[in-house]
Amino acid sequence: MPDAPQDPQAPLGTRGRPGRGTGSATPSSAARSLAGGTPVKRTTKKAAADPTPDPPKTVKRTTKKAAPEPPTEPTPPVTADEDVSSRRSAFSLIVNDAPEPADEDGPGIPLADLVAALTHGARSVLGEDWEGKAAQLLSTLRRRLTGGYEIDEFGLDPQLHAIGMAALRPIAEKWFRIEVRGAEHIPSDGGALVVANHSGTVPVDALMTMLTVNDHAHRTLRLLGADLVFDLPFVGELARKMGATLACNEDAERLLGDGHIVGVWPEGFKGIGKPYSERYKLQRFGRGGFVSAAMRAGVPIVPVSIVGAEEIYPLVGNVPSLARLLGIPYVPITPFFPWLGPLGMIPLPSKWIIEFGEPVRTDAYPPEAADDPMLVFNVTDQVRETIQQTLYALLVDRGHPFI
């Protein structure tokens, strides 16, 4: 029997589900509520009320006043020796407290292996007293970075000078194999003027002479340099810190009067820029200004002859137009430069001989002798002739420049 049709307009609550028998449906209480019948009351359980909390307690915080610190005395400055000693102790603690390297079969300890390798390398390079030398190096670096070093009135930096000498020493001993003669003629104290021949395209002979005086007489040779040296960027500042100063009578007389040993190369750029065909032939010694400075200071003049510098950069050509454009005395052309680029700047390993001659006394002359041009010229010519004759003799003794 088919279901009875439902009235679409009937309220939702009167729509029943077909049932058994009569097919009518009994509306539920929810349906009756929606249809406007008696509302259904729903009851929910209320949570038990929390007990009344206790009133907050007031906590009294008491702070103890710090006792006033006693006045401290200023810490005295740390000296260089104390700094090195403390750093030596720090090195010892690092090395002694470091764990031992693990066995090959066991797990490796990278830190221990690294410390052991560094320790072994430092001992092999610096010797058994590597801790002290490394501490000294760190102390020097700290003072350099913090500006805790001194220079004299002419700009000499003793620490940088020592580093420069250490860098030049292997070149002089292994590359040029310098033989030194007559080092006993270098005065052990007081002022003196060292006069030498100049050659080599690049003034390497001045550096080697400075190193020789430093190692054999244990004195710092103060070089007199041309204006161009101090006009060059970086080179001028480095030259001053290494002990060079301007080649003028005023600076020379001050240095000599203060008891320094001063070096001068009277040939100047005419000497180092002469062609290889004119090697070991001295150029003119200027006006003899170095002689008058030595006479005013009353110090001896030590002639120095240098053989070997002429062969390190054989000058076979020059570019005058480019030199004038750059504002320099010459643009050198050697058998290897500029053809080989940077490799052409490596000096050839020629055999060197540096001989210091007997000093020429100037203290026997009266003070007004420095203003006598004829006397100054005679002494200048005497020094120049002594160096020239010594060069000829040294060339015979040396033989082949490279073998």
Side-chain angles (χ1 to χ4, degrees):
M1 181 175 179
D3 295 339
Q6 297 181 358
D7 186 4
Q9 302 298 325
L12 181 62
T14 61
R15 296 177 188 177
R17 182 180 299 177
R20 294 178 182 178
T22 62
S24 61
T26 303
S28 63
S29 60
R32 289 195 303 268
S33 174
L34 293 173
T38 305
V40 180
K41 295 183 179 180
R42 297 181 181 180
T43 60
T44 58
K45 294 182 179 181
K46 294 183 179 180
D50 295 336
T52 304
D54 296 335
K57 296 180 181 180
T58 304
V59 180
K60 295 183 179 180
R61 297 181 180 179
T62 59
T63 58
K64 295 182 180 180
K65 295 183 178 180
E69 297 182 358
T72 58
E73 297 181 357
T75 305
V78 180
T79 61
D81 294 339
E82 293 175 350
D83 190 16
V84 173
S85 177
S86 63
R87 294 180 187 276
R88 183 197 297 265
S89 302
F91 275 115
S92 301
L93 290 175
I94 292 175
V95 175
N96 295 333
D97 294 346
E100 294 292 335
D103 297 335
E104 295 181 359
D105 298 336
I109 305 178
L111 179 60
D113 296 341
L114 178 61
V115 172
L118 291 177
T119 303
H120 177 72
R123 184 177 289 109
S124 61
V125 174
L126 301 177
E128 294 298 328
D129 190 26
W130 69 272
E131 297 177 43
K133 294 179 180 178
Q136 182 71 35
L137 177 60
L138 285 181
S139 178
T140 301
L141 289 177
R142 183 185 66 83
R143 290 197 298 271
R144 301 292 307 181
L145 294 176
T146 58
Y149 60 94
E150 297 181 356
I151 59 176
D152 67 2
E153 58 179 333
F154 292 95
L156 171 65
D157 186 343
Q159 293 179 356
L160 187 60
H161 180 271
I163 295 174
M165 295 298 100
L168 292 174
R169 194 167 291 115
I171 301 175
E173 296 177 353
K174 305 299 183 181
W175 192 252
F176 295 139
R177 298 153 291 154
I178 295 180
E179 177 186 350
V180 180
R181 301 180 181 181
E184 66 276 3
H185 293 146
I186 306 174
S188 58
D189 55 4
L193 184 65
V194 171
V195 181
N197 61 301
H198 217 11
S199 61
T201 307
V202 178
V204 180
D205 51 0
L207 300 177
M208 295 297 110
T209 307
M210 181 194 304
L211 176 66
T212 302
V213 173
N214 181 85
D215 290 351
H216 289 78
H218 306 290
R219 301 189 63 183
T220 301
L221 181 64
R222 311 301 298 266
L223 308 181
L224 298 180
D227 298 353
L228 178 62
V229 175
F230 301 100
D231 292 339
L232 297 175
F234 179 74
V235 176
E237 182 180 358
L238 180 62
R240 282 203 177 274
K241 291 188 175 182
M242 290 292 291
T245 187
L246 192 62
C248 61
N249 284 351
E250 291 78 9
D251 287 356
E253 291 175 13
R254 287 179 59 190
L255 287 169
L256 294 172
D258 292 341
H260 293 282
I261 183 168
V262 180
V264 63
W265 285 258
E267 294 177 277
F269 290 110
K270 299 188 302 294
I272 60 176
K274 63 177 178 288
Y276 186 70
S277 59
E278 299 179 11
R279 59 190 181 278
Y280 299 114
K281 295 179 181 179
L282 296 184
Q283 305 297 306
R284 182 172 173 268
F285 266 25
R287 301 178 182 178
F290 67 93
V291 172
S292 60
M295 286 182 174
R296 288 189 176 92
V299 299
I301 300 175
V302 181
V304 179
S305 305
I306 304 173
V307 164
E310 296 277 13
E311 291 85 12
I312 60 174
Y313 296 112
L315 188 64
V316 297
N318 185 17
V319 187
S321 57
L322 182 59
R324 287 192 299 269
L325 180 63
L326 298 176
I328 57 179
Y330 55 88
V331 175
I333 297 178
T334 71
F336 305 102
F337 181 83
W339 325 118
L340 297 183
L343 292 178
M345 300 177 65
I346 300 177
L348 299 179
S350 58
K351 177 69 173 64
W352 284 43
I353 301 178
I354 300 179
E355 180 171 334
F356 294 84
E358 293 188 10
V360 178
R361 300 280 301 273
T362 62
D363 53 357
Y365 298 103
E368 62 273 10
D371 298 325
D372 186 352
M374 290 303 299
L375 180 59
V376 170
F377 176 80
N378 291 335
V379 176
T380 303
D381 189 63
Q382 176 187 352
V383 174
R384 182 182 180 279
E385 190 64 23
T386 300
I387 296 175
Q388 182 66 84
Q389 296 302 322
T390 307
L391 287 176
Y392 292 149
L394 293 179
L395 287 172
V396 175
D397 292 347
R398 185 191 64 168
H400 196 280
F402 300 106
I403 300 177

